[in-house]
Amino acid sequence: MQVTLFCLKVGHLLPYSMSNSNTTDFTNPSTFILLGIPGLETAHVWISIPFCTMYSIAVFGNFTILFIVKMEPSLHGPMYYLLCMLAVSDLVLSTSTLPKMLSIFWFNSREIDFSACLTQMYFIHCVSAMESGIFVAMALDRYVAICNPLRHSTILTKPVVAKIGLAVVLRGGMLILPYPILARWWPYCRTNIIPHSYCEHMAVVKLACADVRISSYYSLSVAFLVMGLDVIFIAMSYIQILRAIFNLPTKHARLKTFGTCGSHLFVILASYIPVIFSFLTHRFGDNVAIHFHVLMANVYLLVPAMLHPIIYGMRTKQIQDRLLQLLPHKGM
């Protein structure tokens, strides 16, 4: 009902009217219309305030991490290279969605070119898959650092970290490539209105007037292959890490080590839980309010990107010390 009312209000923006949607075939429409957060249109300006704040913190924080690691030779190690990869992925993920989202909230600029929509879709899911791989690599780094500390520098050398990074990028890029290819292949003869604030894969594919089970089953398989296996590997790593922590001789050493790993674990949970919720809602959550679903989908793009530099920056003493050294020079 909300979608229909919106169509009547902005009919002059649509390349094809809803009244002709059953008879007009517009395979690969020239534009899609993003609704933002359906049902909360009147609150878009207010919603944009925390979104813009989170995006600003994410951009500033992740660029700060990249700058500090580049400027400080002592931070040129495996853990910090992985942290830089995470910072870059956060910047790409948030920047691929937030500017367009804010243009919807502030200027009612809802149109997005069909090719731009598919490009946005690819980057969102590709970088999300890469981030999942980075979390596995970071869990591996923590496992080696705590369970085999004497061999850490020989196991996770710079070439090994480079190969891990390359594997993470290739895995994400190749597995997600069929998403936009299949989406472009489907005919869209119902509507070009996406009840979302960005071009999420299933939100776009559901608009097709064809049997899209190939896209649905493929995305489901990728989710289990990427996210499912990654979660299993991370869980196995942290089980071994916790066992090693409990075997440490002193309470102080246990608390210190657990504090470091606890922050990593919190970041991982904050990243995976909203993703899993959004993924399952698209397929099985017909009774979930659409505005709540879209809000959660935005949360998994913005909140982790904001939290990562804060948590890793605050919990990593070397980054903290280097940042404190830079602050007085900035103030002079």
Side-chain angles (χ1 to χ4, degrees):
M1 183 63 180
Q2 292 170 337
V3 171
T4 305
L5 290 174
F6 178 78
C7 292
L8 294 175
K9 292 178 183 178
V10 297
H12 64 285
L13 294 176
L14 302 181
Y16 301 92
S17 67
M18 288 293 291
S19 61
N20 295 326
S21 62
N22 293 327
T23 58
T24 304
D25 181 11
F26 52 102
T27 303
N28 292 0
S30 59
T31 59
F32 280 119
I33 304 295
L34 292 166
L35 291 185
I37 303 178
L40 298 179
E41 287 86 356
T42 57
H44 274 177
V45 173
W46 296 106
I47 294 171
S48 71
I49 296 173
F51 279 21
C52 187
T53 302
M54 286 188 288
Y55 178 61
S56 300
I57 295 172
V59 170
F60 176 77
N62 284 297
F63 270 120
T64 301
I65 294 289
L66 292 172
F67 176 77
I68 290 175
V69 172
K70 177 177 174 57
M71 296 300 295
E72 182 55 54
S74 65
L75 300 181
H76 294 177
M79 173 183 168
Y80 301 102
Y81 290 144
L82 295 173
L83 190 55
C84 286
M85 288 181 61
L86 185 62
V88 171
S89 66
D90 282 335
L91 288 169
V92 173
L93 193 58
S94 57
T95 303
S96 64
T97 56
L98 235 294
K100 179 59 183 176
M101 201 182 301
L102 292 177
S103 73
I104 296 172
F105 293 161
W106 291 343
F107 310 113
N108 204 33
S109 176
R110 301 173 186 270
E111 288 189 348
I112 183 170
D113 184 76
F114 181 75
S115 296
C117 184
L118 297 185
T119 302
Q120 186 188 61
M121 174 202 299
Y122 177 75
F123 275 104
I124 290 169
H125 294 282
C126 175
V127 177
S128 295
M130 290 179 190
E131 278 205 350
S132 184
I134 294 169
F135 287 137
V136 174
M138 294 178 83
L140 175 64
D141 174 76
R142 291 298 86 202
Y143 167 76
V144 176
I146 293 172
C147 299
N148 295 285
L150 298 179
R151 299 183 58 197
H152 183 266
S153 58
T154 58
I155 294 175
L156 290 177
T157 60
K158 289 183 180 180
V160 170
V161 173
K163 290 176 183 177
I164 291 174
L166 180 62
V168 166
V169 172
L170 290 177
R171 184 189 71 160
M174 293 176 66
L175 286 177
I176 302 302
L177 187 59
Y179 280 26
I181 293 175
L182 288 172
R184 182 178 287 277
W185 186 37
W186 302 125
Y188 297 89
C189 57
R190 294 191 183 119
T191 178
N192 62 344
I193 297 177
I194 303 173
H196 214 296
S197 54
Y198 58 85
C199 293
E200 201 276 340
H201 175 240
M202 287 307 299
V204 174
V205 169
K206 282 182 177 180
L207 302 182
C209 54
D211 186 352
V212 295
R213 283 182 292 181
I214 294 175
S215 286
S216 182
Y217 290 156
Y218 181 76
S219 64
L220 194 65
S221 301
V222 169
F224 282 113
L225 182 64
V226 173
M227 195 182 306
L229 290 177
D230 287 354
V231 168
I232 291 173
F233 288 139
I234 291 170
M236 291 173 60
S237 297
Y238 274 95
I239 288 171
Q240 296 300 318
I241 288 170
L242 290 174
R243 289 179 59 184
I245 289 174
F246 290 131
N247 288 330
L248 291 174
T250 65
K251 183 179 179 180
H252 175 73
R254 288 195 294 269
L255 290 175
K256 183 179 179 181
T257 309
F258 184 78
T260 302
C261 294
S263 61
H264 294 183
L265 198 56
F266 175 77
V267 166
I268 290 169
L269 291 175
S271 301
Y272 277 118
I273 291 175
V275 174
I276 295 171
F277 175 85
S278 180
F279 177 82
L280 294 177
T281 302
H282 258 306
R283 288 158 179 80
F284 314 110
D286 294 334
N287 296 325
V288 177
I290 188 168
H291 63 269
F292 182 71
H293 174 209
V294 175
L295 280 172
M296 288 298 294
N298 291 321
V299 163
Y300 88 73
L301 294 182
L302 289 175
V303 173
M306 177 189 68
L307 288 178
H308 293 163
I310 294 174
I311 292 175
Y312 286 118
M314 293 298 101
R315 299 293 299 182
T316 306
K317 189 177 184 302
Q318 292 91 330
I319 293 178
Q320 218 174 35
D321 292 343
R322 180 61 176 169
L323 183 60
L324 291 174
Q325 290 173 11
L326 292 173
L327 287 177
H329 295 287
K330 289 183 177 181
M332 289 177 62

